[in-house]
Every structure is written in C-alpha cells, then in structure tokens.
Amino acid sequence: MSEAILQLQNVESAYGPIKAIRGVSLKVRPGEIATVLGSNGAGKTTILKTISGIIDPRKGSVEFKGRSITAKDPSFIVQQGLSHVPEGREVFPLLSVRDNLLMGAYTRSNRDEVGRDMETVFAYFPILRERAGQEAGLLSGGQQQMLAISRAIMAAPQLILLDEPSLGLSPKLTKEIFEIVVRINRERGTTILLVEQNANMALNASDYGYVLENGRIVLEDSCDRLREKEDIKEFYLGMKDEGVRGERRWKKKKTWR
Ligand SMILES: Nc1ncnc2c1ncn2[C@@H]1O[C@H](COP(=O)(O)OP(=O)(O)OP(=O)(O)O)[C@@H](O)[C@H]1O
Ligand SMILES: [Mg+2]
C-alpha cells in the first residue's frame, strides 16, 4: 500500500460548544477516489473545512504529502496543491464564467499551462465554453457545480476535496458530474476526497470509503465491500428489500463507466 497523500489523525473540530467531529482519523492514498458517507449533520463539511484550513481543529493533525498543514492558512494550503470545492458551490456570481475559472488559477504563473487547463475543463463541460462570457450567477445549479469543480481543476491540484457535488441536482445531472469526476481522477491522476449523502453514486465512483456518524468514523472499507454490507444497504442505499433490481443497479464501476 502506498503512503497516504492525506492523513488525518484524531481530528476534533467544534463550533463553540458544539463538537462537530470527534477524533476523526482517515487516509487518502495517491491516485484514489476516497469518500466519506454520512447523513445531515454527521460532520462531513466540517472535515473538509478542517482539512482546507477554513476552521482550525481543537485536537489532532492533518498531514498533506507528509507535512503538517494543521491549522495553516487556506491560501497556503491551496498553494501546496489542495483545492476545495465547497458545499453549495460558491461561485462568484457577478464575474463571468471565464473569470471564475481564472480566479482558480490565480497562483499560477505559466499562462500557456493555464490556457491548456481552460481547454481541458471546456472539454469536460462544453456548456462552460458556451457561457464563458456570461455572469456565473446566471448558470443553473448544475452548471454552477460544473464551474466550481472546474475552478478547482484550474489550480492544478494534486488533491481535490469535493463537498456533496450531488446536492440539489437531478439524478441524470448527478450521474454526469460523477462521470466527469471519475475521468478527472483517471485522466489527470488527481486524487479526490468526496463527501456525500448520495451513497449510491459515491460508492460507485470511489475506491475506498468511510462512514461517518455523529462526528465519528464508524466503518471503513473498500467501496466494493461497503456496497455489500447489509447496514449500508439499509441506511444509505434504501435497499432493504434487495433483489434482482438491486443486483442490476450494483454493477462494478468498470461496467458503469
Ligand atoms: N457554523 C456552524 N455553527 C454551529 N454549528 C455548526 C456550524 N456548522 C455546522 N455545525 C454543526 O456541526 C455539525 C456537523 O455539521 P456539518 O455541516 O459538518 O455536517 P454535514 O455532514 O456536512 O451535513 P450536511 O449533509 O447537512 O451538509 C452539525 O451538528 C451542525 O449543526
Ligand atoms: Mg455538509
């Protein structure tokens, strides 16, 4: 097993008196898609905010590429090669789509490479090329999600943190977005840590998964194995009466792609 690119050890983060995560330890290996599954309020967003430096942990450590980034500035962490696509996308609504993308690349000086990556994201999401000159606030929710992911790519990160990309999207659009996330991982070699309530999509796209409940990791395993666990099926996949339908839905990601 290769060294972890990202490692959290016993991380505890709180909002005033509210402990949101309580001793979370997890590893993300280079080149994989890892996922944290959990329901509303489990602490998924808090984990990502703690990694990217938006909130400082009360306890524990976060290491990226073997070095501590615990409680460092978000801008420093981005410069180390770690990009965060926040919950609810947070694009700059009054800036054009193109300027939003360029904001993602603000730390980069090689204009040729930035231009090439702009072409890459336009190839992933052709609608963004069509709307390049338009204000980002005029995009639909799904298109804003595409823009938010693309803006993260524009920083040329080694690791992308993705907070609930399926939020508020139709099943069809969710599937399209997840297919692109898998392509970004396979084609660019970008490591991805994805947090989701949509266990169905997340387990299909990911290699390794953690289950978070009330701020604690209660289960971890390869996604192949997590998909087969009865309690996961019941609580996260709505598949209590699993049958032929369930079997057909649960094809391995190789065939799914
Ligand atoms: N800004 C805040 N102030 C106070 N409490 C907060 C704040 N943000 C989150 N919390 C609390 O921390 C806990 C974890 O919240 P978090 O947003 O990390 O959950 P989540 O798993 O991302 O949920 P969701 O799926 O609804 O996005 C919850 O109990 C929540 O109420
Ligand atoms: Mg959240």
Side-chain angles (χ1 to χ4, degrees):
M1 193 187 297
S2 52
E3 287 270 299
I5 184 169
L6 179 75
Q7 181 157 21
L8 274 65
Q9 275 174 319
N10 284 315
V11 173
E12 207 176 285
S13 294
Y15 303 93
I18 302 163
K19 277 190 191 169
I21 52 172
R22 307 152 182 261
V24 165
S25 298
L26 62 82
K27 274 183 189 173
V28 181
R29 295 160 193 88
E32 80 175 352
I33 303 183
T35 187
V36 175
L37 305 176
S39 49
N40 285 120
K44 304 181 296 299
T45 297
T46 305
I47 290 180
L48 296 194
K49 284 182 170 171
T50 306
I51 296 169
S52 65
I54 299 168
I55 55 180
D56 293 346
R58 296 257 168 103
K59 288 186 186 156
S61 64
V62 184
E63 270 188 15
F64 180 55
K65 296 188 289 186
R67 288 206 214 125
S68 172
I69 54 164
T70 317
K72 293 272 197 285
D73 274 358
S75 60
F76 172 82
I77 292 172
V78 173
Q79 279 165 23
Q80 305 310 301
L82 199 158
S83 286
H84 184 177
V85 182
E87 187 172 53
R89 4 297 187 193
E90 295 180 18
V91 302
F92 301 105
L94 300 178
L95 293 185
S96 69
V97 167
R98 180 178 282 105
D99 285 347
N100 266 273
L101 292 172
L102 290 174
M103 291 290 278
Y106 80 101
T107 56
R108 300 170 67 187
S109 50
N110 187 327
R111 293 291 110 188
D112 288 347
E113 281 176 21
V114 170
R116 234 174 287 141
D117 282 346
M118 181 96 77
E119 281 306 309
T120 305
V121 302
F122 286 156
Y124 285 139
F125 301 114
I127 188 73
L128 297 182
R129 189 199 299 278
E130 285 172 36
R131 303 289 179 87
Q134 212 180 67
E135 283 179 14
L138 301 176
L139 297 175
S140 74
Q143 291 161 351
Q144 288 188 20
Q145 185 60 267
M146 295 174 191
L147 178 57
I149 293 170
S150 298
R151 190 178 58 195
I153 294 175
M154 292 300 291
Q158 285 149 283
L159 175 67
I160 295 181
L161 307 176
L162 262 182
D163 197 336
E164 289 206 57
S166 76
L167 195 73
L169 305 190
S170 70
K172 181 172 176 284
L173 201 49
T174 301
K175 185 165 177 286
E176 276 174 36
I177 298 242
F178 270 84
E179 283 170 357
I180 301 289
V181 168
V182 171
R183 278 184 62 195
I184 291 163
N185 169 257
R186 303 291 188 268
E187 293 171 7
R188 298 176 65 86
T190 312
T191 307
I192 291 170
L193 175 60
L194 165 78
V195 306
E196 260 296 348
Q197 282 196 53
N198 188 334
N200 187 335
M201 275 295 160
L203 287 175
N204 264 328
S206 309
D207 303 297
Y208 199 82
Y210 296 86
V211 177
L212 186 70
E213 279 176 18
N214 292 322
R216 292 181 217 276
I217 304 279
V218 295
L219 191 62
E220 64 168 280
D221 213 330
S222 72
C223 290
D224 285 343
R225 280 196 291 269
L226 285 179
R227 276 195 291 265
E228 299 308 320
K229 288 194 196 289
E230 286 307 319
D231 41 355
I232 300 273
K233 286 181 188 171
E234 277 181 39
F235 294 113
Y236 293 98
L237 305 175
M239 282 174 55
K240 193 165 185 179
D241 297 311
E242 164 222 18
V244 181
R245 202 171 121 259
E247 282 300 316
R248 232 186 286 132
R249 277 199 358 221
W250 286 101
K251 293 217 168 131
K252 292 239 163 82
K253 69 180 168 226
K254 279 94 199 168
T255 50
W256 172 77
R257 290 177 66 216

